[in-house]
Amino acid sequence: MKLFVVCTRPFNRWWDIIFRMDSSTGCGDMIFSGHITFATLVCCALIDYLPELGVSSVGRHLWTALCTLVVLGQATIIIAARKHYTVDLVTGIYVSVLVYYFVASYFPDQDPLPHPVTGNTVVKTLHRVKVVH
């Protein structure tokens, strides 16, 4: 019963939220946040495929800023709700970005479809976009 009491006890000080690591007596098994991982993967895919949607450079920067704010806002809400430790969220963001770009570099788009409006075919490799007319 002591384990249940330790897991449900709220933090008394603000630095306990960031620095408290108490995996031996409970609640240390939450690595890593699936909600943050999903949000980060969606943002990576959205930002990566914006050129194929015909979005300008300014629009890509705006979407990147919006996605960053959404992920950071979600992380703030998750920490405030005390559902994950800070390290869970940082690990989720870090791992999901690494996995996304690892998969994108080893499995690039093989047969890109033409853009529905312009008719151009966008060949996408890691960090390079080439428009084929």
Side-chain angles (χ1 to χ4, degrees):
M1 191 66 180
K2 183 178 189 301
L3 177 66
F4 179 74
V5 173
V6 170
C7 287
T8 59
R9 185 183 57 186
F11 297 112
N12 294 327
R13 299 175 304 246
W14 66 270
W15 57 82
D16 286 341
I17 296 172
I18 298 171
F19 298 113
R20 181 174 160 188
M21 289 185 245
D22 196 37
S23 61
S24 62
T25 57
C27 295
D29 59 348
M30 291 195 243
I31 298 281
F32 46 81
S33 173
H35 294 96
I36 287 294
T37 301
F38 179 75
T40 306
L41 287 173
V42 167
C43 287
C44 285
L46 180 67
I47 292 166
D48 206 18
Y49 285 95
L50 282 175
E52 293 184 27
L53 299 174
V55 178
S56 67
S57 177
V58 174
R60 283 189 299 240
H61 290 300
L62 290 174
W63 275 104
T64 303
L66 179 68
C67 284
T68 304
L69 289 174
V70 166
V71 170
L72 292 177
Q74 185 178 6
T76 304
I77 291 169
I78 290 172
I79 290 173
R82 296 184 177 148
K83 296 298 180 188
H84 284 281
Y85 295 121
T86 306
V87 70
D88 301 341
L89 304 175
V90 172
T91 306
I93 293 170
Y94 182 75
V95 167
S96 59
V97 170
L98 285 179
V99 166
Y100 181 82
Y101 285 110
F102 174 77
V103 170
S105 66
Y106 281 101
F107 303 107
D109 290 341
Q110 296 296 319
D111 188 21
L113 297 174
H115 189 271
V117 176
T118 63
N120 296 336
T121 301
V122 178
V123 179
K124 185 173 67 69
T125 59
L126 190 61
H127 299 297
R128 289 186 208 93
V129 175
K130 180 173 72 174
V131 178
V132 180
H133 299 281

